[in-house]
Short mmCIF file of all heavy atoms in Angstrom, two decimals:
data_model
loop_
_atom_site.label_atom_id
_atom_site.label_comp_id
_atom_site.label_asym_id
_atom_site.label_seq_id
_atom_site.Cartn_x
_atom_site.Cartn_y
_atom_site.Cartn_z
N MET A 1 -18.41 -8.49 -9.87
CA MET A 1 -16.98 -8.35 -9.65
C MET A 1 -16.51 -6.94 -9.93
O MET A 1 -15.55 -6.49 -9.34
CB MET A 1 -16.32 -9.47 -10.44
CG MET A 1 -15.47 -9.20 -11.59
SD MET A 1 -13.96 -10.06 -11.21
CE MET A 1 -13.02 -8.71 -10.60
N SER A 2 -17.20 -6.18 -10.76
CA SER A 2 -16.81 -4.78 -10.92
C SER A 2 -17.88 -3.88 -10.31
O SER A 2 -19.05 -4.23 -10.27
CB SER A 2 -16.58 -4.45 -12.38
OG SER A 2 -17.77 -4.59 -13.10
N ASP A 3 -17.45 -2.75 -9.85
CA ASP A 3 -18.34 -1.82 -9.19
C ASP A 3 -18.99 -0.93 -10.24
O ASP A 3 -18.31 -0.23 -10.97
CB ASP A 3 -17.49 -0.99 -8.22
CG ASP A 3 -18.33 -0.03 -7.40
OD1 ASP A 3 -19.49 0.22 -7.79
OD2 ASP A 3 -17.81 0.47 -6.40
N PRO A 4 -20.31 -0.92 -10.33
CA PRO A 4 -20.98 -0.12 -11.36
C PRO A 4 -20.78 1.37 -11.17
O PRO A 4 -20.98 2.15 -12.11
CB PRO A 4 -22.45 -0.51 -11.23
CG PRO A 4 -22.59 -1.19 -9.92
CD PRO A 4 -21.24 -1.70 -9.52
N ALA A 5 -20.40 1.81 -9.98
CA ALA A 5 -20.19 3.23 -9.74
C ALA A 5 -18.86 3.71 -10.34
O ALA A 5 -18.63 4.89 -10.48
CB ALA A 5 -20.21 3.54 -8.25
N VAL A 6 -18.00 2.76 -10.69
CA VAL A 6 -16.69 3.13 -11.22
C VAL A 6 -16.77 3.23 -12.74
O VAL A 6 -17.28 2.34 -13.40
CB VAL A 6 -15.64 2.06 -10.83
CG1 VAL A 6 -14.30 2.37 -11.47
CG2 VAL A 6 -15.50 1.99 -9.32
N ARG A 7 -16.26 4.34 -13.26
CA ARG A 7 -16.20 4.49 -14.71
C ARG A 7 -14.80 4.12 -15.16
O ARG A 7 -13.82 4.72 -14.70
CB ARG A 7 -16.51 5.93 -15.12
CG ARG A 7 -17.97 6.30 -14.92
CD ARG A 7 -18.24 7.68 -15.46
NE ARG A 7 -18.07 7.70 -16.91
CZ ARG A 7 -19.05 7.42 -17.77
NH1 ARG A 7 -20.23 7.11 -17.34
NH2 ARG A 7 -18.84 7.48 -19.07
N HIS A 8 -14.74 3.17 -16.06
CA HIS A 8 -13.44 2.77 -16.57
C HIS A 8 -13.11 3.59 -17.82
O HIS A 8 -13.97 4.25 -18.38
CB HIS A 8 -13.43 1.28 -16.84
CG HIS A 8 -13.70 0.48 -15.59
ND1 HIS A 8 -12.86 0.50 -14.50
CD2 HIS A 8 -14.74 -0.34 -15.25
CE1 HIS A 8 -13.37 -0.28 -13.55
NE2 HIS A 8 -14.50 -0.79 -13.96
N CYS A 9 -11.86 3.51 -18.24
CA CYS A 9 -11.38 4.41 -19.29
C CYS A 9 -12.02 4.18 -20.66
O CYS A 9 -12.19 5.13 -21.42
CB CYS A 9 -9.87 4.30 -19.38
SG CYS A 9 -9.32 2.59 -19.62
N CYS A 10 -12.36 2.96 -20.99
CA CYS A 10 -12.87 2.71 -22.33
C CYS A 10 -13.76 1.47 -22.32
O CYS A 10 -13.84 0.75 -21.33
CB CYS A 10 -11.72 2.53 -23.33
SG CYS A 10 -10.64 1.13 -22.96
N ARG A 11 -14.43 1.25 -23.41
CA ARG A 11 -15.38 0.14 -23.46
C ARG A 11 -14.67 -1.20 -23.41
O ARG A 11 -15.20 -2.16 -22.87
CB ARG A 11 -16.25 0.26 -24.71
CG ARG A 11 -17.42 1.18 -24.40
CD ARG A 11 -18.11 1.70 -25.62
NE ARG A 11 -18.74 0.66 -26.42
CZ ARG A 11 -19.30 0.88 -27.59
NH1 ARG A 11 -19.31 2.09 -28.08
NH2 ARG A 11 -19.86 -0.08 -28.27
N GLN A 12 -13.51 -1.27 -24.00
CA GLN A 12 -12.74 -2.52 -23.94
C GLN A 12 -12.45 -2.90 -22.50
O GLN A 12 -12.68 -4.03 -22.08
CB GLN A 12 -11.41 -2.36 -24.68
CG GLN A 12 -11.44 -2.79 -26.11
CD GLN A 12 -11.33 -4.30 -26.29
OE1 GLN A 12 -11.85 -5.09 -25.51
NE2 GLN A 12 -10.66 -4.70 -27.34
N MET A 13 -11.93 -1.94 -21.76
CA MET A 13 -11.61 -2.18 -20.36
C MET A 13 -12.85 -2.59 -19.59
O MET A 13 -12.85 -3.56 -18.84
CB MET A 13 -10.97 -0.93 -19.76
CG MET A 13 -10.64 -1.06 -18.29
SD MET A 13 -9.35 -2.27 -17.93
CE MET A 13 -7.92 -1.18 -17.86
N THR A 14 -13.93 -1.84 -19.80
CA THR A 14 -15.17 -2.12 -19.08
C THR A 14 -15.66 -3.53 -19.40
O THR A 14 -15.99 -4.30 -18.50
CB THR A 14 -16.25 -1.10 -19.45
OG1 THR A 14 -15.73 0.21 -19.21
CG2 THR A 14 -17.50 -1.29 -18.61
N SER A 15 -15.68 -3.88 -20.67
CA SER A 15 -16.22 -5.19 -21.01
C SER A 15 -15.30 -6.31 -20.52
O SER A 15 -15.76 -7.37 -20.11
CB SER A 15 -16.48 -5.30 -22.51
OG SER A 15 -15.29 -5.32 -23.22
N ARG A 16 -13.98 -6.06 -20.55
CA ARG A 16 -13.06 -7.08 -20.01
C ARG A 16 -13.26 -7.27 -18.51
O ARG A 16 -13.20 -8.39 -18.01
CB ARG A 16 -11.60 -6.69 -20.27
CG ARG A 16 -11.24 -6.57 -21.72
CD ARG A 16 -11.08 -7.92 -22.37
NE ARG A 16 -10.75 -7.76 -23.78
CZ ARG A 16 -10.09 -8.67 -24.50
NH1 ARG A 16 -9.71 -9.79 -23.94
NH2 ARG A 16 -9.84 -8.45 -25.76
N LEU A 17 -13.46 -6.17 -17.82
CA LEU A 17 -13.64 -6.26 -16.37
C LEU A 17 -14.99 -6.85 -16.01
O LEU A 17 -15.14 -7.50 -14.98
CB LEU A 17 -13.49 -4.88 -15.72
CG LEU A 17 -12.08 -4.33 -15.70
CD1 LEU A 17 -12.08 -2.88 -15.27
CD2 LEU A 17 -11.20 -5.14 -14.76
N GLU A 18 -15.97 -6.62 -16.87
CA GLU A 18 -17.30 -7.13 -16.57
C GLU A 18 -17.52 -8.53 -17.09
O GLU A 18 -18.58 -9.11 -16.92
CB GLU A 18 -18.36 -6.18 -17.15
CG GLU A 18 -18.44 -4.90 -16.34
CD GLU A 18 -19.43 -3.91 -16.91
OE1 GLU A 18 -19.91 -4.14 -18.04
OE2 GLU A 18 -19.71 -2.92 -16.23
N HIS A 19 -16.51 -9.06 -17.74
CA HIS A 19 -16.58 -10.43 -18.25
C HIS A 19 -16.93 -11.39 -17.11
O HIS A 19 -16.27 -11.41 -16.08
CB HIS A 19 -15.24 -10.82 -18.85
CG HIS A 19 -15.12 -12.28 -19.16
ND1 HIS A 19 -15.65 -12.83 -20.29
CD2 HIS A 19 -14.54 -13.29 -18.47
CE1 HIS A 19 -15.40 -14.13 -20.29
NE2 HIS A 19 -14.73 -14.44 -19.20
N VAL A 20 -18.00 -12.13 -17.30
CA VAL A 20 -18.38 -13.14 -16.31
C VAL A 20 -18.39 -14.47 -17.02
O VAL A 20 -19.03 -14.63 -18.06
CB VAL A 20 -19.78 -12.84 -15.72
CG1 VAL A 20 -20.20 -13.97 -14.78
CG2 VAL A 20 -19.77 -11.52 -14.96
N CYS A 21 -17.65 -15.41 -16.48
CA CYS A 21 -17.56 -16.72 -17.11
C CYS A 21 -18.36 -17.73 -16.31
O CYS A 21 -18.19 -17.85 -15.10
CB CYS A 21 -16.09 -17.13 -17.19
SG CYS A 21 -15.88 -18.74 -17.94
N ALA A 22 -19.23 -18.44 -16.99
CA ALA A 22 -20.06 -19.43 -16.32
C ALA A 22 -19.23 -20.61 -15.83
O ALA A 22 -19.58 -21.27 -14.86
CB ALA A 22 -21.14 -19.92 -17.27
N LEU A 23 -18.14 -20.86 -16.51
CA LEU A 23 -17.32 -22.02 -16.15
C LEU A 23 -16.38 -21.73 -14.99
O LEU A 23 -15.99 -22.64 -14.26
CB LEU A 23 -16.47 -22.47 -17.36
CG LEU A 23 -17.25 -22.97 -18.57
CD1 LEU A 23 -16.28 -23.25 -19.71
CD2 LEU A 23 -18.04 -24.23 -18.23
N HIS A 24 -15.98 -20.48 -14.87
CA HIS A 24 -14.99 -20.14 -13.85
C HIS A 24 -15.48 -18.99 -12.99
O HIS A 24 -15.24 -17.83 -13.32
CB HIS A 24 -13.67 -19.72 -14.52
CG HIS A 24 -13.18 -20.69 -15.56
ND1 HIS A 24 -13.34 -20.48 -16.90
CD2 HIS A 24 -12.53 -21.87 -15.41
CE1 HIS A 24 -12.81 -21.52 -17.55
NE2 HIS A 24 -12.32 -22.37 -16.67
N PRO A 25 -16.14 -19.31 -11.88
CA PRO A 25 -16.61 -18.25 -10.98
C PRO A 25 -15.46 -17.43 -10.41
O PRO A 25 -15.63 -16.24 -10.13
CB PRO A 25 -17.34 -19.00 -9.85
CG PRO A 25 -17.37 -20.44 -10.21
CD PRO A 25 -16.50 -20.66 -11.40
N ASN A 26 -14.32 -18.04 -10.26
CA ASN A 26 -13.14 -17.32 -9.80
C ASN A 26 -12.38 -16.79 -11.02
O ASN A 26 -11.93 -17.57 -11.85
CB ASN A 26 -12.27 -18.28 -8.98
CG ASN A 26 -11.03 -17.59 -8.41
OD1 ASN A 26 -10.64 -16.51 -8.86
ND2 ASN A 26 -10.42 -18.21 -7.44
N PRO A 27 -12.25 -15.47 -11.14
CA PRO A 27 -11.60 -14.91 -12.33
C PRO A 27 -10.18 -15.41 -12.54
O PRO A 27 -9.69 -15.45 -13.67
CB PRO A 27 -11.63 -13.40 -12.10
CG PRO A 27 -11.94 -13.21 -10.66
CD PRO A 27 -12.70 -14.44 -10.21
N PHE A 28 -9.53 -15.80 -11.46
CA PHE A 28 -8.15 -16.29 -11.59
C PHE A 28 -8.08 -17.65 -12.27
O PHE A 28 -7.03 -18.07 -12.71
CB PHE A 28 -7.47 -16.34 -10.21
CG PHE A 28 -7.17 -14.98 -9.67
CD1 PHE A 28 -8.04 -14.36 -8.80
CD2 PHE A 28 -6.02 -14.30 -10.06
CE1 PHE A 28 -7.78 -13.08 -8.31
CE2 PHE A 28 -5.74 -13.03 -9.59
CZ PHE A 28 -6.62 -12.42 -8.71
N ASP A 29 -9.22 -18.33 -12.31
CA ASP A 29 -9.26 -19.64 -12.96
C ASP A 29 -9.60 -19.53 -14.45
O ASP A 29 -9.53 -20.51 -15.17
CB ASP A 29 -10.32 -20.54 -12.29
CG ASP A 29 -9.94 -20.90 -10.86
OD1 ASP A 29 -8.75 -20.86 -10.54
OD2 ASP A 29 -10.86 -21.22 -10.08
N CYS A 30 -10.03 -18.36 -14.86
CA CYS A 30 -10.55 -18.23 -16.23
C CYS A 30 -9.48 -17.66 -17.16
O CYS A 30 -9.02 -16.55 -16.97
CB CYS A 30 -11.77 -17.33 -16.24
SG CYS A 30 -12.47 -17.21 -17.89
N PRO A 31 -9.12 -18.42 -18.18
CA PRO A 31 -8.11 -17.91 -19.12
C PRO A 31 -8.59 -16.71 -19.94
O PRO A 31 -7.78 -16.00 -20.52
CB PRO A 31 -7.81 -19.12 -20.03
CG PRO A 31 -8.96 -20.05 -19.84
CD PRO A 31 -9.55 -19.78 -18.49
N ASP A 32 -9.90 -16.50 -19.97
CA ASP A 32 -10.43 -15.36 -20.72
C ASP A 32 -10.43 -14.07 -19.91
O ASP A 32 -10.65 -12.99 -20.46
CB ASP A 32 -11.88 -15.63 -21.16
CG ASP A 32 -11.96 -16.82 -22.10
OD1 ASP A 32 -11.02 -17.01 -22.89
OD2 ASP A 32 -12.96 -17.55 -22.04
N GLN A 33 -10.20 -14.21 -18.63
CA GLN A 33 -10.20 -13.02 -17.77
C GLN A 33 -8.77 -12.49 -17.71
O GLN A 33 -7.91 -13.11 -17.11
CB GLN A 33 -10.70 -13.39 -16.36
CG GLN A 33 -10.88 -12.19 -15.44
CD GLN A 33 -12.09 -11.35 -15.79
OE1 GLN A 33 -13.18 -11.87 -15.99
NE2 GLN A 33 -11.91 -10.05 -15.87
N VAL A 34 -8.52 -11.38 -18.35
CA VAL A 34 -7.15 -10.88 -18.44
C VAL A 34 -6.86 -9.73 -17.49
O VAL A 34 -5.72 -9.52 -17.09
CB VAL A 34 -6.78 -10.47 -19.88
CG1 VAL A 34 -6.66 -11.70 -20.76
CG2 VAL A 34 -7.77 -9.50 -20.45
N VAL A 35 -7.89 -8.98 -17.15
CA VAL A 35 -7.66 -7.86 -16.24
C VAL A 35 -8.58 -7.96 -15.03
O VAL A 35 -9.63 -8.60 -15.08
CB VAL A 35 -7.87 -6.47 -16.90
CG1 VAL A 35 -6.73 -6.13 -17.81
CG2 VAL A 35 -9.21 -6.39 -17.60
N ILE A 36 -8.17 -7.30 -13.98
CA ILE A 36 -8.96 -7.30 -12.76
C ILE A 36 -8.86 -5.91 -12.17
O ILE A 36 -7.83 -5.23 -12.33
CB ILE A 36 -8.46 -8.40 -11.80
CG1 ILE A 36 -9.49 -8.67 -10.70
CG2 ILE A 36 -7.09 -8.09 -11.22
CD1 ILE A 36 -9.29 -10.02 -10.02
N TYR A 37 -9.94 -5.48 -11.55
CA TYR A 37 -9.94 -4.18 -10.89
C TYR A 37 -10.21 -4.40 -9.42
O TYR A 37 -11.14 -5.11 -9.05
CB TYR A 37 -11.01 -3.27 -11.49
CG TYR A 37 -11.13 -1.95 -10.79
CD1 TYR A 37 -10.11 -1.00 -10.88
CD2 TYR A 37 -12.26 -1.64 -10.03
CE1 TYR A 37 -10.21 0.21 -10.22
CE2 TYR A 37 -12.36 -0.42 -9.37
CZ TYR A 37 -11.33 0.50 -9.48
OH TYR A 37 -11.43 1.71 -8.83
N SER A 38 -9.39 -3.80 -8.59
CA SER A 38 -9.56 -3.91 -7.16
C SER A 38 -10.09 -2.60 -6.61
O SER A 38 -9.34 -1.62 -6.52
CB SER A 38 -8.22 -4.27 -6.51
OG SER A 38 -8.29 -4.03 -5.13
N PRO A 39 -11.39 -2.53 -6.30
CA PRO A 39 -11.96 -1.27 -5.80
C PRO A 39 -11.30 -0.83 -4.50
O PRO A 39 -11.19 0.37 -4.24
CB PRO A 39 -13.44 -1.59 -5.57
CG PRO A 39 -13.70 -2.87 -6.29
CD PRO A 39 -12.39 -3.60 -6.36
N ARG A 40 -10.88 -1.79 -3.70
CA ARG A 40 -10.30 -1.43 -2.41
C ARG A 40 -9.02 -0.61 -2.60
O ARG A 40 -8.76 0.34 -1.88
CB ARG A 40 -10.00 -2.70 -1.61
CG ARG A 40 -9.86 -2.37 -0.13
CD ARG A 40 -9.33 -3.54 0.67
NE ARG A 40 -10.00 -4.80 0.39
CZ ARG A 40 -9.62 -5.96 0.93
NH1 ARG A 40 -8.62 -6.01 1.76
NH2 ARG A 40 -10.26 -7.06 0.63
N PHE A 41 -8.24 -1.00 -3.58
CA PHE A 41 -6.98 -0.29 -3.81
C PHE A 41 -7.08 0.65 -5.01
O PHE A 41 -6.13 1.34 -5.34
CB PHE A 41 -5.84 -1.29 -4.03
CG PHE A 41 -5.67 -2.24 -2.87
CD1 PHE A 41 -6.02 -3.58 -3.00
CD2 PHE A 41 -5.17 -1.78 -1.66
CE1 PHE A 41 -5.86 -4.45 -1.92
CE2 PHE A 41 -5.01 -2.66 -0.59
CZ PHE A 41 -5.36 -3.99 -0.71
N ARG A 42 -8.24 0.67 -5.69
CA ARG A 42 -8.43 1.42 -6.94
C ARG A 42 -7.28 1.12 -7.89
O ARG A 42 -6.63 2.00 -8.44
CB ARG A 42 -8.54 2.93 -6.66
CG ARG A 42 -9.79 3.27 -5.86
CD ARG A 42 -9.97 4.76 -5.70
NE ARG A 42 -10.19 5.40 -6.99
CZ ARG A 42 -9.63 6.55 -7.36
NH1 ARG A 42 -8.81 7.18 -6.55
NH2 ARG A 42 -9.89 7.07 -8.53
N GLU A 43 -7.06 -0.17 -8.06
CA GLU A 43 -5.89 -0.60 -8.81
C GLU A 43 -6.32 -1.57 -9.92
O GLU A 43 -7.14 -2.45 -9.68
CB GLU A 43 -4.94 -1.30 -7.85
CG GLU A 43 -3.56 -1.49 -8.38
CD GLU A 43 -2.63 -1.94 -7.25
OE1 GLU A 43 -2.55 -3.14 -7.00
OE2 GLU A 43 -2.00 -1.06 -6.64
N TYR A 44 -5.70 -1.39 -11.07
CA TYR A 44 -5.94 -2.31 -12.17
C TYR A 44 -4.75 -3.25 -12.29
O TYR A 44 -3.61 -2.85 -12.05
CB TYR A 44 -6.06 -1.54 -13.49
CG TYR A 44 -7.28 -0.65 -13.56
CD1 TYR A 44 -7.27 0.61 -12.98
CD2 TYR A 44 -8.42 -1.06 -14.24
CE1 TYR A 44 -8.39 1.43 -13.05
CE2 TYR A 44 -9.54 -0.24 -14.32
CZ TYR A 44 -9.51 1.00 -13.73
OH TYR A 44 -10.61 1.82 -13.80
N GLY A 45 -5.04 -4.47 -12.68
CA GLY A 45 -3.95 -5.41 -12.83
C GLY A 45 -4.21 -6.44 -13.91
O GLY A 45 -5.35 -6.71 -14.27
N LEU A 46 -3.12 -6.99 -14.41
CA LEU A 46 -3.20 -8.10 -15.35
C LEU A 46 -3.06 -9.39 -14.54
O LEU A 46 -2.16 -9.51 -13.72
CB LEU A 46 -2.06 -8.04 -16.37
CG LEU A 46 -2.05 -6.86 -17.32
CD1 LEU A 46 -0.79 -6.93 -18.19
CD2 LEU A 46 -3.29 -6.85 -18.20
N ILE A 47 -3.94 -10.32 -14.81
CA ILE A 47 -3.89 -11.59 -14.09
C ILE A 47 -2.79 -12.47 -14.68
O ILE A 47 -2.68 -12.63 -15.89
CB ILE A 47 -5.26 -12.31 -14.18
CG1 ILE A 47 -6.32 -11.49 -13.45
CG2 ILE A 47 -5.16 -13.72 -13.61
CD1 ILE A 47 -7.72 -12.11 -13.53
N ILE A 48 -1.98 -13.02 -13.79
CA ILE A 48 -0.96 -13.98 -14.21
C ILE A 48 -1.56 -15.37 -14.05
O ILE A 48 -1.84 -15.80 -12.94
CB ILE A 48 0.31 -13.86 -13.33
CG1 ILE A 48 0.80 -12.42 -13.28
CG2 ILE A 48 1.39 -14.81 -13.82
CD1 ILE A 48 1.76 -12.17 -12.12
N HIS A 49 -1.74 -16.03 -15.17
CA HIS A 49 -2.38 -17.34 -15.11
C HIS A 49 -1.36 -18.44 -14.89
O HIS A 49 -0.98 -19.16 -15.79
CB HIS A 49 -3.20 -17.58 -16.39
CG HIS A 49 -4.46 -16.79 -16.41
ND1 HIS A 49 -5.50 -17.01 -15.54
CD2 HIS A 49 -4.84 -15.73 -17.17
CE1 HIS A 49 -6.47 -16.15 -15.79
NE2 HIS A 49 -6.10 -15.35 -16.75
N ASP A 50 -0.89 -18.52 -13.67
CA ASP A 50 0.06 -19.59 -13.34
C ASP A 50 -0.52 -20.50 -12.27
O ASP A 50 0.19 -21.22 -11.60
CB ASP A 50 1.39 -18.98 -12.86
CG ASP A 50 1.22 -18.16 -11.59
OD1 ASP A 50 0.08 -17.98 -11.14
OD2 ASP A 50 2.24 -17.69 -11.06
N GLY A 51 -1.84 -20.43 -12.08
CA GLY A 51 -2.49 -21.27 -11.08
C GLY A 51 -2.60 -20.59 -9.73
O GLY A 51 -3.29 -21.09 -8.85
N GLY A 52 -1.96 -19.45 -9.58
CA GLY A 52 -2.04 -18.72 -8.32
C GLY A 52 -2.94 -17.51 -8.45
O GLY A 52 -3.84 -17.48 -9.29
N THR A 53 -2.68 -16.53 -7.62
CA THR A 53 -3.49 -15.32 -7.68
C THR A 53 -2.60 -14.11 -7.95
O THR A 53 -2.81 -13.04 -7.39
CB THR A 53 -4.28 -15.12 -6.36
OG1 THR A 53 -3.36 -15.14 -5.27
CG2 THR A 53 -5.30 -16.21 -6.16
N GLY A 54 -1.61 -14.31 -8.80
CA GLY A 54 -0.69 -13.23 -9.11
C GLY A 54 -1.31 -12.19 -10.03
O GLY A 54 -2.06 -12.51 -10.94
N VAL A 55 -0.98 -10.94 -9.75
CA VAL A 55 -1.48 -9.82 -10.57
C VAL A 55 -0.32 -8.87 -10.80
O VAL A 55 0.46 -8.58 -9.90
CB VAL A 55 -2.62 -9.08 -9.82
CG1 VAL A 55 -2.98 -7.80 -10.54
CG2 VAL A 55 -3.85 -9.98 -9.68
N ILE A 56 -0.20 -8.40 -12.04
CA ILE A 56 0.76 -7.34 -12.34
C ILE A 56 -0.02 -6.05 -12.40
O ILE A 56 -0.92 -5.90 -13.24
CB ILE A 56 1.44 -7.57 -13.71
CG1 ILE A 56 2.11 -8.94 -13.76
CG2 ILE A 56 2.45 -6.46 -14.00
CD1 ILE A 56 2.61 -9.29 -15.15
N SER A 57 0.26 -5.12 -11.50
CA SER A 57 -0.50 -3.88 -11.55
C SER A 57 -0.06 -3.06 -12.77
O SER A 57 1.10 -3.06 -13.16
CB SER A 57 -0.35 -3.10 -10.25
OG SER A 57 0.99 -2.82 -10.01
N ILE A 58 -1.02 -2.42 -13.38
CA ILE A 58 -0.76 -1.66 -14.60
C ILE A 58 -1.10 -0.20 -14.39
O ILE A 58 -2.03 0.13 -13.66
CB ILE A 58 -1.52 -2.24 -15.83
CG1 ILE A 58 -3.01 -2.46 -15.51
CG2 ILE A 58 -0.88 -3.54 -16.28
CD1 ILE A 58 -3.83 -2.91 -16.70
N ARG A 59 -0.35 0.66 -15.03
CA ARG A 59 -0.54 2.10 -14.89
C ARG A 59 -1.20 2.69 -16.13
O ARG A 59 -1.67 3.82 -16.11
CB ARG A 59 0.82 2.79 -14.68
CG ARG A 59 1.46 2.44 -13.36
CD ARG A 59 0.82 3.22 -12.22
NE ARG A 59 1.23 2.71 -10.92
CZ ARG A 59 0.53 1.81 -10.21
NH1 ARG A 59 -0.60 1.34 -10.69
NH2 ARG A 59 0.95 1.39 -9.04
N PHE A 60 -1.21 1.93 -17.22
CA PHE A 60 -1.81 2.41 -18.46
C PHE A 60 -2.74 1.34 -19.00
O PHE A 60 -2.46 0.15 -18.88
CB PHE A 60 -0.73 2.72 -19.51
CG PHE A 60 0.23 3.78 -19.08
CD1 PHE A 60 1.44 3.44 -18.49
CD2 PHE A 60 -0.08 5.12 -19.24
CE1 PHE A 60 2.32 4.42 -18.07
CE2 PHE A 60 0.79 6.11 -18.82
CZ PHE A 60 1.99 5.76 -18.24
N CYS A 61 -3.83 1.78 -19.60
CA CYS A 61 -4.76 0.84 -20.19
C CYS A 61 -4.12 0.18 -21.40
O CYS A 61 -3.59 0.87 -22.28
CB CYS A 61 -6.03 1.57 -20.62
SG CYS A 61 -7.16 0.50 -21.53
N PRO A 62 -4.14 -1.17 -21.47
CA PRO A 62 -3.54 -1.85 -22.62
C PRO A 62 -4.30 -1.61 -23.92
O PRO A 62 -3.78 -1.85 -25.00
CB PRO A 62 -3.57 -3.33 -22.23
CG PRO A 62 -4.25 -3.44 -20.92
CD PRO A 62 -4.68 -2.08 -20.46
N TRP A 63 -5.53 -1.13 -23.83
CA TRP A 63 -6.34 -0.96 -25.04
C TRP A 63 -6.36 0.48 -25.53
O TRP A 63 -6.17 0.73 -26.70
CB TRP A 63 -7.76 -1.48 -24.80
CG TRP A 63 -7.76 -2.94 -24.55
CD1 TRP A 63 -7.58 -3.92 -25.50
CD2 TRP A 63 -7.85 -3.62 -23.29
NE1 TRP A 63 -7.57 -5.15 -24.89
CE2 TRP A 63 -7.73 -5.01 -23.55
CE3 TRP A 63 -8.02 -3.18 -21.98
CZ2 TRP A 63 -7.79 -5.96 -22.54
CZ3 TRP A 63 -8.08 -4.13 -20.96
CH2 TRP A 63 -7.97 -5.50 -21.24
N CYS A 64 -6.61 1.43 -24.64
CA CYS A 64 -6.72 2.82 -25.11
C CYS A 64 -5.52 3.67 -24.70
O CYS A 64 -5.38 4.80 -25.16
CB CYS A 64 -8.02 3.46 -24.63
SG CYS A 64 -8.04 3.87 -22.88
N GLY A 65 -4.67 3.13 -23.81
CA GLY A 65 -3.47 3.87 -23.43
C GLY A 65 -3.67 4.92 -22.37
O GLY A 65 -2.74 5.64 -22.02
N SER A 66 -4.89 5.01 -21.83
CA SER A 66 -5.15 6.01 -20.78
C SER A 66 -4.32 5.72 -19.54
O SER A 66 -4.06 4.56 -19.22
CB SER A 66 -6.62 5.98 -20.37
OG SER A 66 -7.42 6.51 -21.36
N THR A 67 -3.95 6.76 -18.85
CA THR A 67 -3.33 6.61 -17.54
C THR A 67 -4.42 6.19 -16.57
O THR A 67 -5.47 6.81 -16.50
CB THR A 67 -2.71 7.94 -17.08
OG1 THR A 67 -1.81 8.38 -18.09
CG2 THR A 67 -1.95 7.75 -15.77
N LEU A 68 -4.14 5.12 -15.83
CA LEU A 68 -5.14 4.61 -14.91
C LEU A 68 -4.95 5.26 -13.55
O LEU A 68 -3.83 5.62 -13.17
CB LEU A 68 -4.99 3.09 -14.79
CG LEU A 68 -5.17 2.35 -16.12
CD1 LEU A 68 -4.78 0.89 -15.98
CD2 LEU A 68 -6.60 2.46 -16.60
N PRO A 69 -6.04 5.43 -12.81
CA PRO A 69 -5.93 6.05 -11.48
C PRO A 69 -5.09 5.19 -10.54
O PRO A 69 -5.13 3.97 -10.63
CB PRO A 69 -7.39 6.12 -10.99
CG PRO A 69 -8.13 5.13 -11.82
CD PRO A 69 -7.40 5.02 -13.12
N VAL A 70 -4.32 5.85 -9.70
CA VAL A 70 -3.51 5.10 -8.74
C VAL A 70 -3.96 5.40 -7.31
O VAL A 70 -4.59 6.38 -7.06
CB VAL A 70 -2.00 5.40 -8.86
CG1 VAL A 70 -1.41 4.56 -9.98
CG2 VAL A 70 -1.74 6.86 -9.09
ZN1 ZN B 1 -8.90 2.03 -21.75
ZN1 ZN B 2 -13.68 -19.05 -18.15
#
């Protein structure tokens, strides 16, 4: 789900994005999956767990505070 060629801002972000859940192949179904990275748009987002596929795009890393690429 994450592109190994992409370097994320910090280890927290990387490990959150690389989180793979055996129970939920779809990250939108997994309550432990809080962030998502879209390589197509080079965009980071917070997953809204309301049963849909809503994402709030974020401009700053919630863990280290880095400005994320847009
Ligand atoms: Zn970070
Ligand atoms: Zn899960």
Side-chain angles (χ1 to χ4, degrees):
M1 114 127 262
S2 64
D3 183 344
V6 175
R7 289 186 66 88
H8 300 297
C9 54
C10 61
R11 275 163 63 186
Q12 266 281 36
M13 178 66 96
T14 306
S15 69
R16 298 285 179 155
L17 289 170
E18 287 178 349
H19 169 81
V20 175
C21 179
L23 296 175
H24 309 101
N26 182 343
F28 289 95
D29 293 337
C30 182
D32 297 326
Q33 186 73 48
V34 289
V35 285
I36 195 161
Y37 176 69
S38 164
R40 200 190 313 175
F41 302 109
R42 295 185 64 222
E43 195 169 86
Y44 293 82
L46 295 176
I47 295 178
I48 307 162
H49 286 293
D50 62 355
T53 54
V55 171
I56 304 171
S57 58
I58 49 175
R59 293 282 169 265
F60 299 95
C61 174
W63 295 285
C64 74
S66 288
T67 305
L68 300 170
V70 277

